[in-house]
Amino acid sequence: MPSSRSSDNKTVHALMLDPSSNDAEQTLNILRNSGLAVRATQVVNEDELTDALARQSWDIFLAKESCPQLPVTKAQEIIQHSGRDIPAILISDDFNAAKVSEAFDNGFQSLIPEDDAHLLETHVHRELHHLEDRRRRKQAEAQLNEAEKRCELLLANSRDAIAYIHEGMHIYANKSYLELFGFTSWDELECMPIMDMIAPAHHESFKDFLRQQSRTPNEMPYDFVGVESNGTHFDGSLSLSKASYDGEACIQVLIALRGNDEQELQEKLKELSNVDALTGLATRELLLTNLTEVINNAANNELNAALAYIEVDQFDEWETKLGLKASDEIRLSVADWLMEVATEQDTIARIGDHTFALLRSETDKEDFKTVCDKLLQSFSERLIEANKQTISGTLSIGVCIINEQSPDAEQVVYDAHAAANRAETGGGNRVRIFEDAVDGVSTDKQQKEALRQIQEAMETGRAHLLFQPIVKLHGDSQEFFQVLLRIRDEKDEPVPVSQLFPVTQGT
């Protein structure tokens, strides 16, 4: 199999249309044996499919044609109507060219013969890889959009006069540029030729400068006499460079203002770099700086602190359904809510596309767990307005407790992220505290899954004790009992002892 299986290290949520539980389990075993950690939900009718789509997001849809209550074409129509990006694979005992074409027409990505396990495995891995590529592209587009907003913010706050021109006409100018030439609004300057900003005596030399720049671009300055809107002249120096504005190639014009306080400008840029352009929260960089300080305080003063890694469970679903503009509205709403519930000592940061963090100094494990439980309750009750729709959702929160033994800031964030992943794979809407045996990188994949089952069973009441009498045939008649720990999985099925206890003994 190809090495590009990007889904091997995380849980795959599979939605299965299959009338037979045994056949569905056999399909799951094929995928699990190929290295995928699969969690599946079986549906057999339209109501179950609709409920499953409303409950969570899915990574793959596997459909058998033999389901009498819900035709595969109807099921695929429901999924497509939901607006979800869920790759669909049809499994059929009728495999021929016409059937493949029909499956494609109905929106399926693949048609697999029922008896070809290898082909099923290959196509599932391929579709998961393509899905991850699409999600990464969407995330990259969001990050690009955020970077562009940051650039616009930097341009707007720059004390240097900066403008963009296309075919000699102004298409953008910042406030400093407008003020330099005596304009009060962009409307006065829009589409005005840059030649009108240069004194007539310098027109020829400026044209020569433009021709030279087109042949051998460089940032050598050009000294000129500028003309303000009221006709007043001033001496200036400009430089040109290639740029892009709104996806269109253009030229950036930069006019350095005399008497600039370079230190003040650098401080302004540093301040802006610490603030998320969309939400106004702290950036990841500022969080790491503050987190490093908190870790040092914990080491020197034995003061515990905690970091919460916060993810919105339904964000991908909302973004797919409501669009990118709505996703920004959701991020802003989450940021506003965090600022409402945070205390003055907290650092609130946006550290990912839809990932936030809350850093609190001077707290302990139990108090902070209570705080995070209250965050879950508060967010689940909050109504969010996005794209003219009212929605509500849940969070997955991973917590890393900071003490004198804590590693560096990056590792603390990574550990909190690992705990958040456990909260999300457990169904979301829950808080999980980082446990090295369960979340740590030193534990292999099989051990991690077994330890996760033990942890989840203890937290959800699925662990229980059995007492077995021990009777001595000779000697002391005192009563003895062997105590056995047993757990049940998410389906309330007993987990084999051999699957669990070698792991616990090894830790």
Side-chain angles (χ1 to χ4, degrees):
M1 298 301 296
S3 60
S4 58
R5 293 179 178 179
S6 54
S7 300
D8 286 356
N9 295 324
K10 66 178 183 180
T11 301
V12 175
H13 298 282
L15 190 57
M16 304 186 69
L17 176 64
D18 195 325
S20 169
S21 298
N22 290 334
D23 289 349
E25 187 63 32
Q26 184 177 357
T27 301
L28 286 178
N29 288 335
I30 292 172
L31 299 180
R32 287 167 178 159
N33 290 336
S34 75
L36 291 175
V38 185
R39 284 195 173 189
T41 292
Q42 181 184 2
V43 297
V44 296
N45 57 53
E46 184 173 339
D47 289 340
E48 290 180 355
L49 176 59
T50 303
D51 290 343
L53 291 172
R55 188 168 64 249
Q56 69 175 81
S57 59
W58 300 94
D59 301 313
I60 194 82
F61 175 54
L62 304 174
K64 284 278 190 75
E65 275 194 312
S66 54
C67 194
Q69 299 182 56
L70 181 59
V72 291
T73 53
K74 178 62 177 179
Q76 182 63 353
E77 180 183 326
I78 293 172
I79 291 175
Q80 290 176 336
H81 184 70
S82 73
R84 308 287 188 83
D85 183 8
I86 307 175
I89 294 178
L90 179 61
I91 303 172
S92 173
D93 57 2
D94 182 13
F95 185 81
N96 54 64
K99 193 69 177 179
V100 171
S101 179
E102 180 185 345
F104 287 162
D105 290 341
N106 289 325
F108 288 92
Q109 278 68 43
S110 300
L111 175 67
I112 306 297
E114 277 196 18
D115 57 350
D116 197 330
H118 179 70
L119 191 61
L120 173 65
E121 175 186 335
T122 302
H123 280 244
V124 167
H125 278 278
R126 183 195 67 182
E127 293 306 324
L128 291 174
H129 181 70
H130 290 171
L131 177 65
E132 187 168 343
D133 282 346
R134 291 195 296 274
R135 288 174 174 172
R136 286 179 174 174
R137 186 184 68 230
K138 184 182 293 184
Q139 183 176 5
E141 289 171 350
Q143 291 172 344
L144 174 62
N145 183 49
E146 183 179 345
E148 289 175 343
K149 288 180 180 178
R150 184 176 297 280
C151 287
E152 291 177 5
L153 186 62
L154 291 173
L155 281 172
N157 286 275
S158 174
R159 295 186 62 188
D160 286 336
I162 300 174
Y164 290 139
I165 60 173
H166 178 66
E167 295 182 353
M169 311 293 283
H170 287 88
I171 58 174
Y172 171 83
N174 68 356
K175 183 179 179 181
S176 296
Y177 191 93
L178 295 174
E179 291 176 349
L180 178 64
F181 287 96
F183 295 102
T184 58
S185 71
W186 164 245
D187 294 338
E188 298 175 286
L189 181 64
E190 187 175 11
C191 295
M192 181 178 291
I194 190 173
M195 198 63 72
D196 290 357
M197 324 299 287
I198 308 294
H202 288 259
H203 282 185
E204 290 303 321
S205 61
F206 184 61
K207 290 177 182 178
D208 292 338
F209 176 71
L210 291 175
R211 282 191 287 268
Q212 178 186 350
Q213 288 290 314
S214 65
R215 291 193 297 269
T216 55
N218 59 66
E219 296 187 6
M220 290 294 294
Y222 169 74
D223 294 329
F224 71 104
V225 174
V227 181
E228 296 184 24
S229 59
N230 60 6
T232 304
H233 287 197
F234 66 91
D235 294 331
S237 178
L238 63 81
S239 60
L240 306 178
S241 59
K242 291 184 177 180
S244 174
Y245 187 76
D246 278 348
E248 190 171 17
C250 60
I251 296 174
Q252 177 182 275
V253 180
L254 186 148
I255 303 176
L257 298 178
R258 295 179 183 178
N260 265 0
D261 187 344
E262 185 66 21
Q263 184 178 356
E264 180 182 342
L265 178 60
Q266 291 302 321
E267 290 176 356
K268 182 68 174 178
L269 293 176
K270 182 179 180 181
E271 178 184 341
L272 290 171
S273 68
N274 287 332
V275 178
D276 180 64
L278 175 65
T279 63
L281 300 180
T283 59
R284 183 186 182 93
E285 290 72 21
L286 180 58
L287 174 72
L288 292 175
T289 298
N290 293 352
L291 183 54
T292 299
E293 183 178 342
V294 168
I295 292 172
N296 292 336
N297 287 339
N300 297 330
N301 304 318
E302 298 184 355
L303 294 175
N304 286 358
L307 176 72
Y309 191 101
I310 303 169
E311 291 192 314
V312 181
D313 294 327
Q314 296 82 9
F315 186 86
D316 289 336
E317 170 191 337
W318 289 340
E319 187 172 54
T320 301
K321 183 178 180 180
L322 303 177
L324 290 175
K325 182 180 178 181
S327 65
D328 278 348
E329 295 174 345
I330 295 168
R331 294 184 186 99
L332 283 169
S333 181
V334 175
D336 291 342
W337 167 76
L338 281 171
M339 287 188 283
E340 292 171 8
V341 298
T343 67
E344 292 183 0
Q345 67 166 320
D346 297 335
T347 298
I348 308 296
R350 179 186 172 208
I351 59 176
D353 180 47
H354 57 282
T355 303
F356 301 84
L358 187 153
L359 172 63
R360 176 166 295 184
S361 57
E362 300 185 28
T363 188
D364 60 34
K365 179 177 179 180
E366 294 304 321
D367 285 348
F368 197 66
K369 173 66 164 57
T370 301
V371 168
C372 291
D373 285 335
K374 290 180 179 178
L375 290 180
L376 290 184
Q377 180 67 24
S378 172
F379 187 78
S380 67
E381 296 172 351
R382 183 179 180 86
L383 298 180
I384 299 174
E385 297 294 331
N387 195 19
K388 300 180 180 180
Q389 296 190 39
T390 302
I391 54 177
S392 62
T394 57
L395 301 175
S396 290
I397 301 179
V399 173
C400 183
I401 303 301
I402 301 165
N403 52 40
E404 67 274 9
Q405 296 181 340
S406 291
D408 58 47
E410 287 282 4
Q411 187 62 46
V412 169
V413 174
Y414 182 86
D415 291 346
H417 184 194
N421 279 343
R422 181 155 54 90
E424 189 274 332
T425 56
N429 194 28
R430 62 194 66 198
V431 179
R432 290 294 178 259
I433 297 176
F434 175 77
E435 301 287 349
D436 188 60
V438 181
D439 305 304
V441 296
S442 61
T443 310
D444 66 30
K445 185 176 180 180
Q446 185 177 4
Q447 285 181 328
K448 280 187 180 182
E449 176 60 22
L451 287 166
R452 185 199 62 76
Q453 285 185 302
I454 295 173
Q455 186 83 10
E456 288 288 326
M458 294 175 66
E459 292 171 348
T460 57
R462 289 186 279 104
H464 57 281
L465 299 177
L466 301 179
F467 296 88
Q468 179 171 302
I470 298 176
V471 179
K472 288 189 175 182
L473 298 179
H474 301 284
D476 193 353
S477 61
Q478 185 177 355
E479 292 184 347
F480 292 93
F481 292 87
Q482 181 181 19
V483 183
L484 308 174
L485 172 65
R486 297 292 184 265
I487 72 169
R488 293 181 175 272
D489 60 19
E490 292 86 346
K491 297 180 179 179
D492 203 36
E493 296 292 333
V495 177
V497 175
S498 60
Q499 181 178 329
L500 296 175
F501 286 96
V503 173
T504 58
Q505 292 167 4
T507 57

